[in-house]
Amino acid sequence: TISKLMRNGFMICDGSISGQGTVLSINNNWVGSWHGNEVLLDASISVDGEKEVLENGHSYLGRDILFSKRSVLDNAYILNSKMNITQDRIDEFVLLQGLNETKLCDVFYGFLGSRANRLTDYTAFGEDNSILYNGQTNRDDNSEINLKPAIAVAQYDPLLNDGVLSVCTKGSNFGLKHFIWDRPFDNKLYARFQSAEGACSLQNLYEIGQSLLFFDSTNENWKADASNLLDKLLEETRCKNKISGDLNSDCKVNLEDFAIFAENWLKVKD
């Protein structure tokens, strides 16, 4: 459990109210980050490439931080998670392996979002970077703002002119449902994976990923800035697995690749 996480003064989570991580409801009991019923198998942290000793309540300061852990959630799932923190983004990766088909997962939250009450404005984006929803979380009435089928949500502070873009980079096919819980003390963004809910069978293997990208902007431009960040991240994600025939590494196979192929036809390397 990451009980408190800050980035350049930006509070990502505060353990007095919430923890960053993965949370499940197993047989109507909450387990995981900041919710108990989690047995830690091992954990490690590296700061600027140097491994450090994990200490409770210690502050780890550096430009690049890598945190990983392996744990068992209520004898229902084995959790392997990794969080890579840099100056301008956080990348989270989670792998869950089922253990016990007699256990039932009622709710599957792959990622708990920020404690973000000051981020009152939001925009949700689809897979093609189109805007699906716009609004404000200022009702403070415990209402749930459903953002399905968005894969990314930007939250913005119009007073401090900064925000965070949360993007599901892997696993959206597991019935992803983003929603914001508009509470008096916490406009928290959740990523729920609904088709991963059910019996915790041995054959269940869920690999999911999320990136948080931080940005400074203006009230006039923040949506466009968030959209540009998303476009770059989607291109980065698409290019991770190289396409056969993509000879110029532009994530496309087209006439430019054919020209390279033709130019080198029958050539033999000495």
Side-chain angles (χ1 to χ4, degrees), residues 30-246:
W30 291 107
V31 304
S33 181
W34 208 250
H35 288 76
N37 294 316
E38 179 177 14
V39 177
L40 183 67
L41 300 178
D42 55 68
S44 64
I45 190 168
S46 296
V47 180
D48 292 333
E50 298 292 329
K51 192 170 182 178
E52 296 201 15
V53 177
L54 271 171
E55 298 180 60
N56 186 36
H58 183 70
S59 295
Y60 295 91
L61 302 177
R63 294 185 58 86
D64 300 300
I65 296 175
L66 177 62
F67 171 79
S68 61
K69 76 171 180 178
R70 189 165 63 97
S71 61
V72 177
L73 303 180
D74 197 29
N75 291 318
Y77 274 100
I78 289 181
L79 169 68
N80 288 276
S81 67
K82 181 173 71 173
M83 183 180 291
N84 188 25
I85 305 169
T86 61
Q87 288 294 98
D88 58 356
R89 64 189 281 176
I90 297 175
D91 296 297
E92 295 183 75
F93 306 95
V94 171
L95 182 66
L96 280 151
Q97 170 72 60
L99 286 177
N100 189 343
E101 64 182 9
T102 66
K103 299 271 189 176
L104 184 67
C105 177
D106 312 295
V107 180
F108 188 118
Y109 291 142
F111 305 102
L112 292 185
S114 309
R115 179 189 175 189
N117 202 48
R118 69 181 182 85
L119 301 175
T120 56
D121 295 14
Y122 69 86
T123 293
F125 300 91
E127 290 185 350
D128 59 353
N129 204 352
S130 60
I131 292 180
L132 302 180
Y133 305 96
N134 283 307
Q136 290 185 313
T137 49
N138 53 11
R139 294 172 61 178
D140 297 335
D141 59 357
N142 293 307
S143 58
E144 180 182 304
I145 302 170
N146 184 359
L147 303 176
K148 192 174 183 178
I151 64 157
V153 180
Q155 295 171 278
Y156 178 72
D157 184 339
L159 298 179
L160 295 182
N161 301 120
D162 67 353
V164 58
L165 175 69
S166 303
V167 187
C168 178
T169 55
K170 193 175 185 64
S172 61
N173 55 307
F174 297 132
L176 172 65
K177 174 190 174 182
H178 274 120
F179 70 90
I180 298 175
W181 194 357
D182 189 353
R183 298 186 287 185
F185 56 85
D186 190 356
N187 294 330
K188 183 189 286 290
L189 176 67
Y190 289 76
R192 182 175 179 178
F193 296 84
Q194 293 177 296
S195 65
E197 297 166 356
C200 307
S201 306
L202 287 170
Q203 63 265 30
N204 290 0
L205 185 66
Y206 300 113
E207 187 176 0
I208 55 179
Q210 175 179 249
S211 292
L212 307 179
L213 285 73
F214 304 97
F215 62 92
D216 297 315
S217 188
T218 64
N219 294 341
E220 294 78 20
N221 298 324
W222 75 269
K223 293 177 186 177
D225 289 342
S227 178
N228 290 335
L229 280 176
L230 177 58
D231 195 48
K232 291 177 181 177
L233 182 63
L234 291 176
E235 190 68 21
E236 171 188 316
T237 304
R238 282 192 293 264
C239 292
K240 280 185 177 178
N241 297 315
K242 185 175 174 61
I243 307 171
S244 179
D246 180 14

